[in-house]
């Protein structure tokens, strides 16, 4: 028998500020274990970003950090920002000066945000328990580089002495096609149900959106496609989140719905995210992976942050950028088992019988023990 070729990958790690470095340490330990267990290697280079980079170099995204990202298959990102840098001019603030330029530079057009509420954590959700008894698992695929946030004309002027402000919601067919393909592909690896959310009863851009998604659905005959207006989707997500699998929508609607999903899921500390850009011939994407939450300055440095969002971001990176699907699944299963076995950081603890309250490191140990 021939020895199995070892698989080699390269990632750039940007831990950032606040709880970023604390939870990133945990994710790196799990990456070490995944390499050993699944026989691949990930070359890593760690660089400064956000407030830490401002302190060291005066810029939230130094050129050497960007260069390291260009040389990698993916970026594992922590979080940036905090009170120390809030009064700087907007363009060199950690989030605006680092996150937005990274998205733009790498053309990260698809934002994937899972909204998962595990059955053992339904108490953390503000939704009535009887509506979510079994938990839920929704994936929101949001278009990230088009729509009203970037459309032109945009601006403000005066007409007859009165201020007028204008934004333009605009989509090219090709922009809808590529996000639809990401969403259908994601649906293929789940329950094969895709809901496209639009406002095609009012908006011309939504009419094109719906037509195009229907066209692309012919490439994915196994996926069951349905449509919903965004106002109804906002209501149904609260009334019956368990009935959703994958939803795909444009930038503004996705911004709002994905935050609604994070809120009904219970804890920000549990939710990862992926922003995907160009797709290689091997089907894998260049992507940036980060927790849905921020740098949580209120608990930074105390060793109590929940590392799970960062760990699950690593799992998404392994799946979408490195093609290490078995490792990704094993990490997700280990996290689910750790929660089912009662381990809780402060953000998800209730003090009920059967819970073990742990800090960041002990949560990582518990995940490793189940990996
Ligand atoms: P936040 O997400 O940092 O915190 C909101 C609440 O959630 C806090 O109570 C925090 O303790 C809690 N929380 C978040 N992640 C947690 C975790 N892993 N474990 C336990 N609890 C967790 O949002 P915020 O307070 O509005 O913002 C704080 C800073 O983060 C700001 O400077 C903001 O600009 C920045 N921010 C950065 C990003 C990013 O890097 N992508 C995103 C959002 C906010």
């Amino acid at each position: 028998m021939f020895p199995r070729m070892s698989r080699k990958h390269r990632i750039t790690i940007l831990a950032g500020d606040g709880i970023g470095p604390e939870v990133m340490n945990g994710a790196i330990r799990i990456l070490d274990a995944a390499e050993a267990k699944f026989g691949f290697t990930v070359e890593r280079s760690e660089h400064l970003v956000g407030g830490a980079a401002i302190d060291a170099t005066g810029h939230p995204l130094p050129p050497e950090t960007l260069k390291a990202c260009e040389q990698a298959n993916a970026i594992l990102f922590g979080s940036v920002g905090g009170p120390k840098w809030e009064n700087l001019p907007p363009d060199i603030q950690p989030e605006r000066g680092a996150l937005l330029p990274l998205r733009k530079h790498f053309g990260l057009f698809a934002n994937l945000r899972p909204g998962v509420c595990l059955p053992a954590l339904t108490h953390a959700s503000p939704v009535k328990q009887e509506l979510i008894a079994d938990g839920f698992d929704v994936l929101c695929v949001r278009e990230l580089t088009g729509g009203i946030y970037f459309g032109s004309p945009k601006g403000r002027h005066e007409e007859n002495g009165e201020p007028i402000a204008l934004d333009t919601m605009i989509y090219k067919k090709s922009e809808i096609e590529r996000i639809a393909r990401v969403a259908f592909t994601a649906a293929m690896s789940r329950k094969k149900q895709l809901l496209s959310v639009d406002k095609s009863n009012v908006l011309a851009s939504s009419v094109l959106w719906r037509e195009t998604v229907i066209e692309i659905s012919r490439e994915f005959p196994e996926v069951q496609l349905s449509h919903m207006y965004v106002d109804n989707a906002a209501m149904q997500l609260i009334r019956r989140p368990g009935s959703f699998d994958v939803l795909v929508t444009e930038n503004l609607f996705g911004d709002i719905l994905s935050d609604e999903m994070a809120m009904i899921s219970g804890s920000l500390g549990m939710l990862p995210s992926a922003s995907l850009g160009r797709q290689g011939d091997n089907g894998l994407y260049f992507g940036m992976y980060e927790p849905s939450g921020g740098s949580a300055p209120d608990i930074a440095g105390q060793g109590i942050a929940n590392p799970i969002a960062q760990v699950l971001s690593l799992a998404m990176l392994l799946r979408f950028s490195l093609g290490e699907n078995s490792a990704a699944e094993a990490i997700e299963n280990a996290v689910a088992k750790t929660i089912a076995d009662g381990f809780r950081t402060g953000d998800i603890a209730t003090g009920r019988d059967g819970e073990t309250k742990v800090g960041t490191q002990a949560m990582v140990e518990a995940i490793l023990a189940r990996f």
Side-chain angles (χ1 to χ4, degrees), residues 19 23 77-83 86 95 99 267-270 290-299 304-309 345 347:
I19 61 167
V23 292
F77 195 94
S79 51
V80 290
E86 258 161 26
E95 269 187 275
L99 270 175
S267 172
L268 269 181
M270 297 289 297
E290 58 181 315
S292 288
S295 57
D298 53 332
I299 57 165
I304 59 171
N306 189 343
I308 290 179
T345 41
D347 55 320

Side-chain angles (χ1 to χ4, degrees), residues 45-217:
S45 67
E46 298 189 33
H47 291 270
L48 292 173
V49 73
I54 294 173
D55 289 349
T57 71
H59 196 278
L61 184 64
E64 53 275 29
T65 296
L66 191 60
K67 194 159 176 228
C69 294
E70 282 169 351
Q71 290 163 351
N73 303 115
I75 305 166
L76 187 61
F77 195 94
S79 51
V80 290
K84 184 175 174 191
W85 306 282
E86 258 161 26
N87 296 322
L88 292 170
D91 280 356
I92 58 157
Q93 279 192 11
E95 269 187 275
R96 265 191 76 174
L99 270 175
L100 300 187
L102 276 170
R103 279 185 193 162
K104 192 164 177 215
H105 186 81
F106 291 105
L108 304 178
F109 67 93
N111 185 222
L112 274 60
R113 279 184 53 179
V116 179
C117 185
L118 295 169
L121 294 181
T122 54
H123 62 270
S125 168
V127 175
K128 276 188 200 144
Q129 295 301 292
E130 63 261 34
L131 297 179
I132 51 166
D134 303 324
F136 54 85
D137 179 354
V138 190
L139 176 67
C140 178
V141 179
R142 165 188 170 193
E143 203 290 324
L144 201 58
T145 51
I148 199 163
Y149 293 162
F150 299 99
S152 69
K154 172 193 269 305
R156 194 179 154 134
H157 59 277
E158 282 200 6
E159 264 179 41
N160 303 325
E162 185 181 12
I164 292 189
L166 166 80
D167 297 288
T168 302
M169 185 180 266
I170 183 165
Y171 270 104
K172 285 192 253 180
K173 186 168 175 164
S174 54
E175 291 174 310
I176 305 170
E177 286 171 341
R178 65 180 183 175
I179 190 77
R181 286 198 179 95
V182 170
F184 277 107
T185 305
M188 282 296 290
S189 67
R190 295 169 49 108
K191 291 190 207 145
K192 300 192 171 71
Q193 290 169 19
L194 178 63
L195 175 73
S196 174
V197 174
D198 63 41
K199 189 72 183 163
S200 57
N201 51 342
V202 182
L203 300 174
S205 57
S206 277
V207 173
L208 179 63
W209 179 278
R210 193 176 283 214
E211 278 169 20
T212 308
V213 172
I214 290 171
E215 262 179 55
I216 298 297
S217 72

